[in-house]
Amino acid sequence: MDFILNQLRNRAELSPRRIILPLLFLSCVIYLWQYAVDQKVVPVIILPPPMDVVHVITQNRDFMIGHAVSTLYECFIAFLCATLLGLSVSSLITISYIARKAVYPNLVLFQLIPVIALAPLFILWFGVGTEARVAYGICLAIFPIVVSSSTGLLNTGDTYLKLCSSLTASRWQTFSQVRLPFALPLIFTGLRIGLTLTIIGVVVGEFVTAQQGIGYLISFAASGLETAIALAAISFLLFVGLILFTGLVVVEFTLLRMFSGQSGQ
Amino acid sequence: MNLSIISQARRSSFPTLLFSLLPVLLFGTVLSFWEFVVWYTDYPKSILPRPSAIALAIFDNWDLLTSNIIPTASVALGGFLIATLVGLTLSLLMAYSTWTKDALYPNIVGFQIVPKIAWAPLFVLWLGIEFQSRLGFAVFISIFPIIISMTAGLKNTDPTLIRLCDSLTATKLQTLFLVRFPFALPYLISAMKMSITLAMIGVIVGEFITSQEGLGFLILVAFGKLETDLMLASVLFLCAVGLFFYSIIAFASYRLEIWFGNKK
């Protein structure tokens, strides 16, 4: 996502060739895909023609939107909880030296655990419902959020901190008015990674529990050799991801503007 | 108050040994608390086994666990190596020719938005339930960081160096391999570290979906039999495999940096 944002920011770099060439390449790929299916180079079960996927989407729109909304809802709740928890932990780490020394190495150690392998454990603990998938999403997303926001909060420029102490700012004032605004870009980098991981968590949870949601739809369609439905479901997942990312980017821009306005930049 | 000054003051007044032991202490406290609470409340072992039960499960199932390391580790390593080679080739190609880059790069970046994990069942459908599907999925999931960071690295070479190469009449290939590639090496290394983790994730998810072997499969079997201690033991083995690969890459990248003269 960062790269897309950068691309959008560097709009000056855009030239007609840079727009036409990728589109040309994309349409070549789609044409080859259609051609390969038409000439029976690949069977329809393996790769359905692009029009079939579009057809599935238009025919089962309401059904798929229902599953997409369920996934979107679970991702949103999980991401919100992970953000709140992650930011509280990293604030604690920033404020207390002892907490930092005790917790931080353990956090780095915990990051080594392939959390993806814990998916069945969450079903055991939370059942096959929404709770399991939300808890799993939180568990996946929280580590990058904590690590990158505490990196941001701890690396405030020394000069600014010295200025704060010479102006007799309280700990809370230093935290809320200097450390937090400075850390915002890194916090949001962590949040973007966290959001990707939340979506991964919820979708893997849906693979394993198989009740509802886009992940369920994909694995169900793939096991029934309904590749067109699986591809259609993936494109709905793309929309879920886009909605969540757009929301996050809007929040980021609003907050950055707010804080830069406050400090009079 | 200035937090860094406070912490500096504390660092000198507290024994440093205590602070280096603090994380170990916290870890130990949490483990013994876990052990004690589960033992005291007689919590069902199938939901949360005691740490000692997990250690016992490792001991009891040693052969089962070790025999399942190879299928997972070899597929993950293979996927990682293929992804690195293909990704490197693609990004070198894109650095060499702007036309290729303009045509490919936006599509690759756009493709990134789709949560790649969602493709796992399709790989099983395409490549069967043998190791090929897991290998394919591991390559698919771990190739993107390599392409994207490597392209960024090759693009961000110091323009002065490139101008120097031009004035010394270096060919495009010479500039690429002697200047831009070593310059992009740190980007490649950080991407490789990301990539090996992703390859492991890809293999585990693949094993969850269909597999007859491997640590991910063992986790599912243990889950089916409600043997949570064996499940957590397999997770610990996965950690060990991940750590092993990670340290190999860290070491290899250190040697590479020396070889290309970035470090002494």
Side-chain angles (χ1 to χ4, degrees), chain B residues 203-224:
Chain B
V203 175
I204 295 169
V205 171
E207 283 175 349
F208 277 170
I209 292 174
T210 61
S211 164
Q212 315 301 319
E213 53 183 4
L215 288 169
F217 169 68
L218 199 59
I219 290 174
L220 269 199
V221 170
F223 171 59

Side-chain angles (χ1 to χ4, degrees), chain B residues 7-264:
Chain B
S7 51
Q8 220 106 73
R10 278 201 187 134
R11 207 170 291 152
S12 49
S13 62
F14 270 81
T16 16
L17 185 69
L18 182 69
F19 275 120
S20 53
L21 278 181
L22 217 49
V24 184
L25 269 175
L26 181 74
F27 191 69
T29 317
V30 170
L31 271 194
S32 31
F33 183 71
W34 174 2
E35 177 87 32
F36 176 74
V37 167
V38 174
W39 170 77
Y40 189 75
T41 58
D42 212 6
Y43 209 65
K45 193 183 155 204
S46 56
I47 296 188
L48 193 67
R50 280 145 51 175
S52 58
I54 299 171
L56 209 63
I58 293 181
F59 189 71
D60 284 344
N61 301 295
W62 183 260
D63 290 338
L64 182 67
L65 285 163
T66 43
S67 65
N68 278 301
I69 288 180
I70 298 296
T72 305
S74 56
V75 176
L77 188 65
F80 164 74
L81 289 178
I82 297 175
T84 308
L85 280 180
V86 176
L88 207 59
T89 320
L90 268 178
S91 48
L92 285 176
L93 198 70
M94 285 197 284
Y96 191 67
S97 128
T98 23
W99 281 84
T100 331
K101 188 180 171 183
D102 282 348
L104 276 180
Y105 196 63
N107 283 306
I108 290 173
V109 170
F111 201 72
Q112 268 269 91
I113 319 173
V114 189
K116 284 173 288 302
I117 213 94
W119 295 82
L122 282 174
F123 274 82
V124 176
L125 201 152
W126 288 333
L127 298 171
I129 58 168
E130 292 296 312
F131 77 93
Q132 288 93 332
S133 62
R134 296 194 287 281
L135 186 69
F137 187 59
V139 172
F140 172 72
I141 203 171
S142 58
I143 199 170
F144 286 95
I146 302 261
I147 298 179
I148 287 180
S149 321
M150 197 57 197
T151 312
L154 289 168
K155 194 178 127 191
N156 290 345
T157 319
D158 192 350
T160 335
L161 288 178
I162 295 185
R163 246 177 280 146
L164 176 69
C165 288
D166 284 344
S167 54
L168 293 174
T169 64
T171 63
K172 228 177 170 186
L173 264 179
Q174 278 175 323
T175 318
L176 191 59
F177 281 105
L178 293 173
V179 176
R180 295 176 76 177
F181 187 74
F183 206 84
L185 202 61
Y187 288 83
L188 177 66
I189 286 163
S190 69
M192 273 160 77
K193 285 175 183 163
M194 226 187 291
S195 180
I196 187 72
T197 319
L198 286 173
M200 287 286 290
I201 289 178
V203 175
I204 295 169
V205 171
E207 283 175 349
F208 277 170
I209 292 174
T210 61
S211 164
Q212 315 301 319
E213 53 183 4
L215 288 169
F217 169 68
L218 199 59
I219 290 174
L220 269 199
V221 170
F223 171 59
K225 293 197 288 185
L226 283 183
E227 286 178 12
T228 313
D229 46 354
L230 181 58
M231 230 164 102
L232 288 170
S234 323
V235 171
L236 281 181
F237 266 66
L238 278 175
C239 289
V241 173
L243 196 60
F244 176 67
F245 283 152
Y246 195 87
S247 41
I248 285 184
I249 290 172
F251 179 72
S253 51
Y254 178 71
R255 301 298 309 179
L256 266 179
E257 291 241 62
I258 290 177
W259 197 52
F260 275 104
N262 289 4
K263 252 186 208 151
K264 274 174 195 152

